[in-house]
């Protein structure tokens, strides 16, 4: 059976790796693992979203639902340090 990124408890090897992304002027490094969506770097849609938007500077609470390895949530947390950021994904 082939595992998919929305399997909550994948059974294959984790195969962790680091990826780097520049988001809103910050160079951020993340650790991803096998089975996580776009584990090799920003997927095209997320890259377009982030490059065409600004950080939500007035936000106090942000929810990134389906965060994957967390590029949006982490970028918001770095850019808006007073905000509480929740990052939720089916993958542990």
């Amino acid at each position: 059976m082939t595992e998919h990124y929305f399997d909550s408890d994948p059974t294959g090897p984790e195969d962790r790796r680091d990826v780097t992304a520049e988001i809103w002027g910050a160079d951020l490094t993340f650790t991803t693992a096998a089975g996580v969506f776009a584990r090799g770097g920003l997927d095209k849609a997320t890259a377009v979203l982030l490059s065409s938007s600004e950080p939500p500077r007035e936000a106090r609470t942000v929810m990134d639902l389906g965060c994957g390895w967390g590029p949006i949530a982490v970028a918001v947390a770095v850019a808006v340090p007073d905000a509480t950021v929740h990052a939720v994904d089916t993958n542990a």
Side-chain angles (χ1 to χ4, degrees):
M1 180 166 126
T2 302
E3 293 186 28
H4 198 270
Y5 63 83
F6 53 74
D7 288 341
S8 61
D9 192 19
T11 57
E14 285 187 352
D15 189 23
R16 291 178 180 253
R17 64 176 61 165
D18 289 344
V19 296
T20 301
E22 182 185 339
I23 304 172
W24 298 323
D27 290 320
L28 304 172
T29 301
F30 303 83
T31 301
T32 66
V36 176
F37 176 70
R39 72 178 290 217
L42 287 179
D43 64 283
K44 188 167 189 123
T46 302
V48 168
L49 171 72
L50 292 169
S51 68
S52 63
S53 66
E54 295 292 325
R57 302 230 184 257
E58 302 301 317
R60 292 298 155 245
T61 303
V62 174
M63 167 71 80
D64 183 0
L65 186 59
C67 66
W69 45 271
I72 295 173
V74 171
V76 170
V78 168
V80 189
D82 290 335
T84 299
V85 180
H86 303 276
V88 179
D89 197 88
T90 188
N91 297 112

Coordinates of all heavy atoms in Angstrom, one line a residue:
M1 N 0.8 -1.2 0.0 CA 0.0 0.0 0.0 C 0.9 1.3 0.0 O 1.8 1.3 0.8 CB -0.9 0.0 1.2 CG -1.8 1.2 1.3 SD -3.1 0.8 2.6 CE -2.9 2.2 3.6
T2 N 0.6 2.2 -0.8 CA 1.3 3.5 -0.9 C 0.8 4.4 0.2 O -0.4 4.6 0.3 CB 1.1 4.1 -2.3 OG1 1.6 3.2 -3.2 CG2 2.0 5.4 -2.4
E3 N 1.8 5.0 0.9 CA 1.4 6.0 1.9 C 1.1 7.3 1.3 O 1.7 7.7 0.2 CB 2.5 6.1 3.0 CG 2.6 4.8 3.8 CD 3.5 5.0 4.9 OE1 3.7 6.1 5.4 OE2 4.1 3.9 5.3
H4 N 0.3 8.1 1.9 CA 0.0 9.4 1.3 C 0.2 10.5 2.4 O 0.2 10.2 3.6 CB -1.5 9.4 0.9 CG -1.9 10.6 0.0 ND1 -2.3 11.8 0.4 CD2 -1.8 10.6 -1.4 CE1 -2.5 12.6 -0.6 NE2 -2.2 11.9 -1.7
Y5 N 0.4 11.7 2.0 CA 0.7 12.8 3.0 C -0.4 13.0 4.1 O -0.2 13.6 5.1 CB 1.1 14.1 2.4 CG 0.0 14.7 1.5 CD1 -1.0 15.5 2.1 CD2 0.0 14.6 0.2 CE1 -1.9 16.1 1.3 CE2 -1.0 15.2 -0.6 CZ -1.9 16.0 0.0 OH -2.9 16.6 -0.8
F6 N -1.7 12.5 3.8 CA -2.7 12.7 4.8 C -2.9 11.5 5.7 O -3.8 11.4 6.4 CB -4.0 13.2 4.2 CG -4.6 12.4 3.1 CD1 -5.1 11.2 3.3 CD2 -4.5 12.9 1.8 CE1 -5.6 10.4 2.2 CE2 -5.0 12.2 0.7 CZ -5.6 10.9 1.0
D7 N -2.1 10.5 5.5 CA -2.1 9.4 6.5 C -1.6 9.9 7.8 O -0.5 10.4 8.0 CB -1.2 8.2 6.0 CG -1.7 7.5 4.8 OD1 -2.9 7.6 4.5 OD2 -0.9 6.8 4.2
S8 N -2.4 9.7 8.9 CA -2.1 10.2 10.2 C -0.9 9.5 10.9 O -0.2 10.0 11.7 CB -3.3 10.2 11.1 OG -3.8 8.9 11.3
D9 N -0.7 8.2 10.5 CA 0.3 7.4 11.2 C 1.1 6.6 10.2 O 0.9 5.4 10.1 CB -0.3 6.5 12.3 CG 0.7 5.9 13.2 OD1 1.8 6.4 13.2 OD2 0.4 4.9 13.8
P10 N 1.9 7.2 9.4 CA 2.6 6.5 8.3 C 3.5 5.4 8.9 O 4.1 5.6 10.0 CB 3.4 7.6 7.6 CG 3.4 8.8 8.4 CD 2.2 8.6 9.4
T11 N 3.7 4.3 8.2 CA 4.5 3.2 8.8 C 5.9 3.1 8.2 O 6.7 2.4 8.6 CB 3.8 1.9 8.6 OG1 3.5 1.7 7.2 CG2 2.4 1.8 9.3
G12 N 6.1 3.9 7.1 CA 7.4 3.8 6.4 C 8.5 4.6 7.2 O 8.2 5.2 8.2
P13 N 9.7 4.5 6.7 CA 10.8 5.3 7.3 C 10.6 6.8 7.2 O 10.0 7.3 6.3 CB 12.1 4.9 6.5 CG 11.5 4.3 5.2 CD 10.2 3.8 5.5
E14 N 11.0 7.5 8.3 CA 10.8 8.9 8.3 C 11.6 9.7 7.3 O 11.1 10.6 6.7 CB 11.1 9.5 9.7 CG 10.1 9.2 10.7 CD 10.4 9.9 12.0 OE1 11.5 10.5 12.2 OE2 9.6 9.9 12.9
D15 N 12.8 9.3 7.0 CA 13.7 9.9 6.0 C 13.6 11.4 6.2 O 13.2 12.1 5.3 CB 13.3 9.5 4.6 CG 14.3 9.9 3.6 OD1 15.5 10.2 3.9 OD2 13.9 10.1 2.4
R16 N 14.0 11.9 7.3 CA 14.0 13.3 7.6 C 15.1 14.1 6.8 O 16.1 13.5 6.5 CB 14.3 13.6 9.1 CG 13.1 13.1 10.0 CD 13.4 13.4 11.4 NE 12.3 12.9 12.2 CZ 11.5 13.7 12.8 NH1 11.6 15.0 12.7 NH2 10.5 13.3 13.5
R17 N 14.7 15.3 6.4 CA 15.7 16.2 5.7 C 15.3 17.6 6.0 O 14.2 17.9 6.3 CB 15.6 15.9 4.2 CG 14.3 16.2 3.5 CD 14.4 16.0 2.0 NE 14.7 14.6 1.7 CZ 14.5 14.0 0.6 NH1 14.0 14.7 -0.4 NH2 14.8 12.8 0.4
D18 N 16.3 18.4 5.9 CA 16.2 19.9 6.1 C 15.9 20.6 4.7 O 16.4 20.2 3.7 CB 17.4 20.5 6.7 CG 17.6 20.1 8.1 OD1 16.6 19.6 8.8 OD2 18.7 20.3 8.7
V19 N 15.0 21.5 4.8 CA 14.7 22.4 3.6 C 14.7 23.8 4.1 O 14.5 24.1 5.2 CB 13.3 22.1 2.9 CG1 13.3 20.7 2.4 CG2 12.2 22.3 3.9
T20 N 15.2 24.7 3.2 CA 15.2 26.1 3.5 C 14.3 26.9 2.6 O 14.2 26.6 1.4 CB 16.7 26.6 3.4 OG1 17.5 25.9 4.2 CG2 16.8 28.1 3.7
A21 N 13.6 27.9 3.1 CA 12.8 28.7 2.3 C 12.9 30.2 2.8 O 13.1 30.4 4.0 CB 11.3 28.3 2.5
E22 N 13.0 31.1 1.8 CA 13.0 32.5 2.2 C 11.6 33.0 2.1 O 10.9 32.9 1.1 CB 13.8 33.3 1.2 CG 13.9 34.8 1.6 CD 14.6 35.7 0.6 OE1 15.4 35.2 -0.1 OE2 14.3 36.9 0.7
I23 N 11.0 33.4 3.2 CA 9.7 33.9 3.3 C 9.6 35.2 4.0 O 10.1 35.4 5.1 CB 8.8 32.9 4.1 CG1 8.9 31.4 3.5 CG2 7.3 33.3 4.2 CD1 8.3 30.4 4.4
W24 N 9.1 36.2 3.3 CA 8.9 37.6 3.8 C 10.3 38.1 4.3 O 10.4 38.8 5.3 CB 7.9 37.7 4.8 CG 6.5 37.3 4.4 CD1 5.9 37.6 3.2 CD2 5.5 36.7 5.2 NE1 4.6 37.2 3.1 CE2 4.3 36.6 4.3 CE3 5.4 36.2 6.4 CZ2 3.1 36.0 4.8 CZ3 4.2 35.6 6.9 CH2 3.1 35.5 6.0
G25 N 11.3 37.8 3.6 CA 12.7 38.3 3.9 C 13.4 37.5 4.9 O 14.6 37.9 5.2
A26 N 12.8 36.5 5.5 CA 13.5 35.7 6.5 C 13.9 34.3 5.9 O 13.1 33.7 5.2 CB 12.6 35.4 7.7
D27 N 15.2 33.9 6.1 CA 15.6 32.6 5.7 C 15.3 31.6 6.8 O 15.8 31.7 7.9 CB 17.2 32.6 5.4 CG 17.5 33.4 4.2 OD1 16.8 33.3 3.2 OD2 18.5 34.1 4.2
L28 N 14.4 30.7 6.5 CA 13.9 29.7 7.5 C 14.3 28.3 7.1 O 14.2 27.9 5.9 CB 12.4 29.9 7.6 CG 11.9 31.3 8.0 CD1 10.4 31.3 7.9 CD2 12.4 31.7 9.3
T29 N 14.7 27.5 8.1 CA 15.1 26.1 7.8 C 14.1 25.2 8.6 O 13.8 25.5 9.8 CB 16.5 25.8 8.3 OG1 17.4 26.7 7.5 CG2 16.9 24.4 8.0
F30 N 13.6 24.2 7.9 CA 12.6 23.3 8.5 C 13.2 21.9 8.3 O 13.9 21.6 7.4 CB 11.3 23.4 7.7 CG 10.7 24.8 7.7 CD1 11.2 25.7 6.7 CD2 9.7 25.1 8.5 CE1 10.6 27.0 6.7 CE2 9.2 26.4 8.5 CZ 9.6 27.3 7.6
T31 N 12.7 21.0 9.1 CA 12.9 19.6 9.0 C 11.7 18.9 8.5 O 10.6 19.1 9.1 CB 13.4 18.9 10.3 OG1 14.6 19.6 10.7 CG2 13.7 17.4 10.1
T32 N 11.7 18.2 7.4 CA 10.6 17.5 6.8 C 10.8 16.0 6.9 O 11.9 15.6 7.2 CB 10.3 17.9 5.4 OG1 11.3 17.5 4.5 CG2 10.1 19.4 5.3
A33 N 9.8 15.2 6.6 CA 9.9 13.8 6.6 C 9.1 13.2 5.5 O 8.2 13.8 4.9 CB 9.5 13.2 8.0
A34 N 9.4 11.9 5.2 CA 8.7 11.2 4.2 C 7.2 11.2 4.5 O 6.8 11.2 5.7 CB 9.1 9.8 4.1
G35 N 6.3 11.3 3.5 CA 4.9 11.3 3.7 C 4.3 12.7 4.0 O 3.1 12.8 4.0
V36 N 5.1 13.7 4.2 CA 4.6 15.1 4.4 C 4.5 15.8 3.1 O 5.4 15.7 2.2 CB 5.5 15.9 5.4 CG1 5.0 17.3 5.5 CG2 5.6 15.2 6.7
F37 N 3.4 16.4 2.8 CA 3.1 17.1 1.6 C 4.2 18.1 1.3 O 4.7 18.9 2.1 CB 1.8 17.9 1.6 CG 1.5 18.7 0.4 CD1 1.2 18.1 -0.8 CD2 1.5 20.1 0.5 CE1 0.9 18.8 -1.9 CE2 1.3 20.8 -0.7 CZ 0.9 20.2 -1.8
A38 N 4.7 18.1 0.0 CA 5.7 19.0 -0.5 C 7.0 19.0 0.4 O 7.6 20.0 0.7 CB 5.2 20.4 -0.6
R39 N 7.4 17.8 0.8 CA 8.5 17.7 1.7 C 9.8 18.3 1.2 O 10.8 18.5 2.0 CB 8.7 16.3 2.1 CG 9.3 15.4 1.0 CD 9.5 14.0 1.4 NE 10.6 14.0 2.3 CZ 11.4 13.0 2.4 NH1 11.4 12.0 1.6 NH2 12.4 13.0 3.3
G40 N 10.0 18.5 -0.1 CA 11.2 18.9 -0.7 C 11.4 20.4 -0.7 O 12.4 21.0 -1.1
G41 N 10.3 21.2 -0.3 CA 10.4 22.6 -0.4 C 9.0 23.2 -0.6 O 8.0 22.4 -0.6
L42 N 8.9 24.5 -0.7 CA 7.6 25.1 -0.9 C 6.9 24.6 -2.1 O 7.5 24.6 -3.2 CB 7.7 26.6 -1.0 CG 8.0 27.4 0.3 CD1 8.1 28.9 -0.1 CD2 7.0 27.2 1.3
D43 N 5.6 24.2 -2.0 CA 4.9 23.9 -3.2 C 4.5 25.2 -3.9 O 4.6 26.2 -3.4 CB 3.6 23.1 -2.8 CG 2.7 23.9 -2.0 OD1 2.9 24.0 -0.8 OD2 1.7 24.4 -2.6
K44 N 4.2 25.0 -5.2 CA 4.0 26.2 -6.0 C 2.9 27.1 -5.5 O 3.0 28.4 -5.4 CB 3.6 25.8 -7.5 CG 3.6 27.0 -8.4 CD 3.6 26.5 -9.8 CE 3.8 27.7 -10.7 NZ 4.9 27.6 -11.6
A45 N 1.8 26.6 -5.0 CA 0.6 27.4 -4.5 C 1.0 28.2 -3.3 O 0.7 29.3 -3.1 CB -0.6 26.5 -4.3
T46 N 1.7 27.5 -2.4 CA 2.1 28.2 -1.1 C 3.2 29.3 -1.5 O 3.1 30.4 -0.9 CB 2.7 27.2 -0.1 OG1 1.7 26.2 0.2 CG2 3.1 27.9 1.2
A47 N 4.1 29.0 -2.4 CA 5.1 30.0 -2.8 C 4.4 31.2 -3.4 O 4.8 32.3 -3.1 CB 6.1 29.4 -3.8
V48 N 3.4 31.0 -4.2 CA 2.7 32.1 -4.8 C 1.9 32.9 -3.7 O 2.0 34.1 -3.7 CB 1.7 31.6 -5.9 CG1 0.7 32.7 -6.3 CG2 2.4 31.1 -7.1
L49 N 1.2 32.2 -2.9 CA 0.5 32.9 -1.8 C 1.4 33.7 -0.9 O 1.2 34.9 -0.7 CB -0.1 31.8 -0.9 CG -0.8 32.4 0.4 CD1 -2.0 33.2 0.1 CD2 -1.0 31.2 1.4
L50 N 2.6 33.2 -0.5 CA 3.5 33.9 0.3 C 4.2 35.1 -0.4 O 4.4 36.2 0.2 CB 4.5 33.0 0.9 CG 3.9 32.0 2.0 CD1 5.0 31.0 2.3 CD2 3.4 32.8 3.2
S51 N 4.5 34.9 -1.7 CA 5.2 36.0 -2.4 C 4.2 37.1 -2.8 O 4.7 38.2 -3.1 CB 5.9 35.4 -3.7 OG 4.9 35.0 -4.6
S52 N 2.9 36.8 -2.8 CA 2.0 37.9 -3.2 C 1.2 38.4 -2.0 O 0.2 39.1 -2.1 CB 1.0 37.3 -4.2 OG 0.2 36.3 -3.6
S53 N 1.7 38.1 -0.8 CA 1.0 38.6 0.4 C 2.1 39.2 1.4 O 3.3 39.0 1.3 CB 0.3 37.5 1.1 OG 1.1 36.5 1.6
E54 N 1.5 39.9 2.4 CA 2.4 40.5 3.5 C 2.0 39.8 4.8 O 0.9 39.2 4.9 CB 2.1 42.0 3.6 CG 2.5 42.8 2.4 CD 4.0 42.9 2.2 OE1 4.7 42.9 3.3 OE2 4.5 42.9 1.1
P55 N 2.8 39.8 5.7 CA 2.5 39.2 7.0 C 1.3 39.9 7.6 O 1.1 41.1 7.5 CB 3.7 39.4 7.9 CG 4.8 39.7 7.0 CD 4.2 40.3 5.7
P56 N 0.4 39.1 8.3 CA -0.8 39.7 9.0 C -0.4 40.5 10.2 O -0.6 40.0 11.4 CB -1.7 38.5 9.2 CG -0.7 37.4 9.4 CD 0.5 37.7 8.5
R57 N 0.2 41.6 10.1 CA 0.8 42.3 11.3 C -0.1 42.7 12.4 O 0.3 42.8 13.5 CB 1.5 43.6 10.8 CG 2.6 43.3 9.7 CD 3.9 43.9 10.1 NE 4.8 43.7 9.0 CZ 5.8 42.8 9.1 NH1 6.0 42.0 10.1 NH2 6.6 42.6 8.0
E58 N -1.4 42.8 12.1 CA -2.4 43.1 13.1 C -3.0 41.9 13.8 O -3.8 42.0 14.7 CB -3.5 44.0 12.5 CG -3.0 45.3 11.9 CD -2.3 46.2 12.9 OE1 -2.8 46.3 14.0 OE2 -1.2 46.7 12.5
A59 N -2.7 40.7 13.3 CA -3.3 39.5 13.8 C -2.8 39.2 15.2 O -1.7 39.5 15.6 CB -2.9 38.3 12.9
R60 N -3.7 38.7 16.0 CA -3.3 38.3 17.4 C -3.4 36.8 17.5 O -2.7 36.2 18.3 CB -4.2 38.9 18.4 CG -4.0 40.4 18.5 CD -2.5 40.7 19.0 NE -2.0 42.0 18.5 CZ -1.0 42.2 17.7 NH1 -0.4 41.2 17.1 NH2 -0.6 43.4 17.4
T61 N -4.2 36.1 16.7 CA -4.3 34.7 16.7 C -4.4 34.2 15.2 O -5.2 34.8 14.5 CB -5.6 34.2 17.5 OG1 -5.5 34.7 18.8 CG2 -5.6 32.7 17.5
V62 N -3.6 33.2 14.9 CA -3.6 32.7 13.5 C -3.7 31.2 13.6 O -3.0 30.6 14.4 CB -2.3 33.1 12.7 CG1 -2.3 32.5 11.4 CG2 -2.3 34.6 12.6
M63 N -4.5 30.6 12.7 CA -4.6 29.1 12.6 C -4.2 28.7 11.2 O -4.7 29.2 10.2 CB -6.1 28.7 12.8 CG -6.3 27.3 12.4 SD -5.6 26.0 13.5 CE -6.8 26.1 14.8
D64 N -3.2 27.9 11.1 CA -2.8 27.3 9.9 C -3.2 25.8 9.9 O -2.6 24.9 10.5 CB -1.2 27.4 9.7 CG -0.7 26.8 8.4 OD1 -1.5 26.4 7.6 OD2 0.5 26.9 8.2
L65 N -4.4 25.6 9.3 CA -5.0 24.3 9.3 C -4.5 23.5 8.0 O -4.7 24.0 6.9 CB -6.5 24.4 9.2 CG -7.3 23.1 9.4 CD1 -7.0 22.4 10.7 CD2 -8.8 23.5 9.3
G66 N -3.9 22.3 8.3 CA -3.3 21.6 7.2 C -1.9 22.2 6.9 O -1.5 22.4 5.8
C67 N -1.1 22.4 8.0 CA 0.1 23.2 7.9 C 1.3 22.4 7.2 O 2.3 23.0 6.9 CB 0.5 23.6 9.3 SG 1.0 22.3 10.4
G68 N 1.2 21.1 7.1 CA 2.3 20.4 6.5 C 3.5 20.5 7.4 O 3.4 20.3 8.6
W69 N 4.6 20.9 6.8 CA 5.8 21.1 7.6 C 5.9 22.5 8.2 O 6.9 22.9 8.8 CB 7.1 20.7 6.8 CG 7.2 21.1 5.4 CD1 6.7 20.5 4.3 CD2 7.8 22.3 4.9 NE1 7.0 21.2 3.2 CE2 7.7 22.3 3.5 CE3 8.4 23.4 5.5 CZ2 8.2 23.3 2.7 CZ3 8.9 24.4 4.7 CH2 8.8 24.4 3.3
G70 N 4.9 23.3 8.0 CA 4.8 24.6 8.7 C 5.3 25.9 8.1 O 5.5 26.8 8.9
P71 N 5.5 26.0 6.8 CA 6.1 27.3 6.3 C 5.2 28.5 6.6 O 5.8 29.5 7.0 CB 6.3 27.0 4.8 CG 5.3 25.9 4.5 CD 5.3 25.1 5.7
I72 N 3.9 28.4 6.5 CA 3.1 29.6 6.7 C 3.1 29.9 8.2 O 3.3 31.0 8.6 CB 1.7 29.3 6.1 CG1 1.7 29.2 4.6 CG2 0.7 30.5 6.5 CD1 0.4 28.8 4.0
A73 N 2.8 28.9 9.0 CA 2.7 29.1 10.5 C 4.0 29.7 11.0 O 4.0 30.7 11.8 CB 2.3 27.8 11.2
V74 N 5.1 29.1 10.6 CA 6.4 29.6 11.2 C 6.7 31.0 10.6 O 7.2 31.9 11.4 CB 7.5 28.6 10.8 CG1 8.9 29.2 11.2 CG2 7.3 27.3 11.6
A75 N 6.4 31.3 9.4 CA 6.7 32.6 8.8 C 5.8 33.6 9.5 O 6.3 34.7 9.8 CB 6.4 32.6 7.3
V76 N 4.6 33.3 9.8 CA 3.7 34.3 10.6 C 4.3 34.5 12.0 O 4.4 35.6 12.5 CB 2.3 33.8 10.6 CG1 1.5 34.6 11.6 CG2 1.6 33.8 9.2
A77 N 4.7 33.4 12.6 CA 5.2 33.5 14.0 C 6.5 34.3 14.1 O 6.7 35.1 15.0 CB 5.5 32.1 14.6
V78 N 7.4 34.2 13.0 CA 8.6 35.0 13.0 C 8.2 36.5 12.7 O 8.8 37.4 13.3 CB 9.6 34.5 11.9 CG1 10.7 35.4 11.6 CG2 10.1 33.1 12.4
A79 N 7.3 36.7 11.7 CA 7.0 38.1 11.3 C 6.1 38.8 12.3 O 6.1 40.1 12.3 CB 6.4 38.1 9.9
V80 N 5.3 38.1 13.0 CA 4.4 38.7 13.9 C 4.5 38.1 15.3 O 3.7 37.2 15.8 CB 2.9 38.5 13.4 CG1 1.9 39.4 14.3 CG2 2.8 38.9 12.0
P81 N 5.6 38.4 16.0 CA 6.0 37.7 17.3 C 4.9 37.8 18.4 O 4.9 37.0 19.3 CB 7.3 38.3 17.7 CG 7.4 39.5 16.9 CD 6.6 39.4 15.7
D82 N 4.1 38.8 18.3 CA 3.1 39.0 19.4 C 1.8 38.1 19.1 O 1.0 38.0 20.0 CB 2.6 40.4 19.5 CG 3.7 41.3 20.1 OD1 4.6 40.7 20.8 OD2 3.7 42.5 19.9
A83 N 1.7 37.5 18.0 CA 0.6 36.6 17.6 C 0.8 35.2 18.2 O 1.9 34.7 18.3 CB 0.4 36.6 16.1
T84 N -0.4 34.6 18.5 CA -0.4 33.2 18.9 C -0.7 32.5 17.6 O -1.7 32.7 17.0 CB -1.5 32.9 19.9 OG1 -1.2 33.7 21.1 CG2 -1.5 31.5 20.3
V85 N 0.2 31.5 17.2 CA 0.0 30.8 16.0 C -0.2 29.3 16.3 O 0.6 28.7 17.0 CB 1.3 31.0 15.1 CG1 1.1 30.2 13.8 CG2 1.5 32.4 14.8
H86 N -1.3 28.8 15.8 CA -1.7 27.4 15.9 C -1.4 26.7 14.5 O -1.9 27.2 13.5 CB -3.1 27.2 16.3 CG -3.5 27.9 17.5 ND1 -3.3 27.3 18.8 CD2 -4.0 29.1 17.8 CE1 -3.7 28.1 19.7 NE2 -4.2 29.2 19.1
A87 N -0.6 25.6 14.5 CA -0.3 24.9 13.3 C -0.9 23.5 13.5 O -0.4 22.8 14.4 CB 1.2 24.9 13.1
V88 N -1.8 23.1 12.7 CA -2.4 21.8 12.8 C -2.3 21.0 11.5 O -2.6 21.5 10.4 CB -3.9 22.0 13.2 CG1 -4.6 20.6 13.4 CG2 -4.1 22.8 14.5
D89 N -2.0 19.7 11.6 CA -1.9 18.9 10.5 C -2.3 17.4 10.9 O -2.1 17.1 12.0 CB -0.5 18.9 9.8 CG -0.5 18.4 8.4 OD1 -0.8 19.2 7.5 OD2 -0.3 17.2 8.2
T90 N -2.7 16.6 9.9 CA -3.0 15.2 10.2 C -1.8 14.5 10.5 O -1.8 13.5 11.3 CB -3.8 14.6 9.1 OG1 -4.2 13.3 9.5 CG2 -3.0 14.5 7.8
N91 N -0.6 14.8 10.0 CA 0.6 14.2 10.3 C 1.2 14.7 11.6 O 1.3 15.8 11.8 CB 1.7 14.5 9.2 CG 1.3 13.9 7.8 OD1 1.1 14.7 6.9 ND2 1.3 12.6 7.7
A92 N 1.6 13.7 12.4 CA 2.2 14.1 13.7 C 3.5 14.8 13.5 O 3.9 15.7 14.2 CB 2.4 12.9 14.6

